[in-house]
Amino acid sequence: ILAASLEGNDETVLRIGSTSEAPNALAWFPKGDEIAYSYNSLQGPGAIDVVHVRTGQTHRLATFNDKLPFDIHWSPDGRALFTLYLDIGAHRVFGQIGLVRDTGGDIEPITRDANTYWTLALSADGRTLATLLRRSYATISVLSKAGREFGEPRPLFSQANEFHEFSELNWTADGGLLVNTFGQQQRKLAADGKNQTQFLGADFLDA
């Protein structure tokens, strides 16, 4: 982490570390004397540290065993740090919005839904958050061959916010359909789409 004047002068090195601990985002404290930064990895807990600009001293604000913080923004009064985070302890991994008190502790959720939120911006007065929301809807259909042609698609399963661009489909040996959604879950559908069996939730990311 480097600090410098607006002219690019007086460059100061505040923190040096490995790429595995590279910060995801930085946030100036309202008084301008400290910088908070979030970092995480899939092999360890997420955390938010704070470094003092003049002394270079660092202290831990919060550690999260099942959450990965990304974008962070201090409230104007410095009493809360808003964050965009992933909850890897849930059965579905979606970007959500929460806050961390200046005294530390766990992330307090602001959003609790199946939508995915990307990026986070805070208004100057600290009263409004802006974000990008992604909502998906997908349908799994099969086509049966009739003679030399295929018939009309036959829907097997439709669900909002269950699939994304990394989802995969594979036939099983017994004629079922294996649906794998990376970072969310894995399930098996019967050929008629009526019976479903969930094998795996998002907790497999901890393995």
Side-chain angles (χ1 to χ4, degrees), residues 16 54 105 149 157:
I16 298 177
R54 283 182 290 181
E149 299 180 353
F157 183 77

Side-chain angles (χ1 to χ4, degrees), residues 66-67 86-94 96 183-185 201-206:
D66 57 355
K67 298 179 179 68
L86 297 181
D87 187 351
I88 60 175
H91 289 293
R92 296 176 175 83
V93 180
F94 297 121
Q96 296 292 311
Q184 296 181 25
Q185 57 184 271
D203 50 357
F204 79 95
L205 289 174
D206 296 328

Side-chain angles (χ1 to χ4, degrees), residues 15-183:
R15 183 182 182 277
I16 298 177
S18 63
T19 55
S20 62
E21 295 182 347
N24 294 317
L26 307 176
W28 279 97
F29 190 72
K31 293 182 180 180
D33 57 347
E34 293 182 322
I35 299 174
Y37 59 94
S38 62
Y39 67 93
N40 51 64
S41 69
L42 293 179
Q43 288 73 38
I48 296 177
D49 287 353
V50 178
V51 58
H52 196 280
V53 176
R54 283 182 290 181
T55 66
Q57 293 183 340
T58 301
H59 69 272
R60 175 64 50 84
L61 176 64
T63 302
F64 318 108
N65 293 324
D66 57 355
K67 298 179 179 68
L68 306 179
F70 288 90
D71 292 1
I72 53 175
H73 297 275
W74 279 109
S75 62
D77 59 7
R79 299 177 61 184
L81 190 66
F82 296 99
T83 179
L84 181 73
Y85 70 97
L86 297 181
D87 187 351
I88 60 175
H91 289 293
R92 296 176 175 83
V93 180
F94 297 121
Q96 296 292 311
I97 300 172
L99 65 86
V100 180
R101 303 290 179 180
D102 61 339
T103 53
D106 201 4
I107 295 176
E108 301 177 23
I110 294 176
T111 60
R112 295 174 181 264
D113 52 51
N115 297 315
T116 298
Y117 299 90
W118 295 109
T119 74
L120 188 65
L122 181 66
S123 63
D125 60 6
R127 301 179 63 181
T128 305
L129 289 169
T131 185
L132 295 177
L133 182 149
R134 186 182 74 174
R135 181 180 294 131
S136 64
Y137 190 88
T139 300
I140 298 176
S141 301
V142 296
L143 291 84
S144 300
K145 191 172 183 180
R148 296 183 178 181
E149 299 180 353
F150 286 92
E152 292 294 323
R154 176 167 53 88
L156 288 186
F157 183 77
S158 296
Q159 185 69 41
N161 293 319
E162 288 286 346
F163 311 105
H164 50 60
E165 59 270 24
F166 298 110
S167 300
E168 297 178 347
L169 302 175
N170 288 288
W171 288 107
T172 61
D174 59 358
L177 193 61
L178 193 63
V179 182
N180 181 31
T181 304
F182 178 76

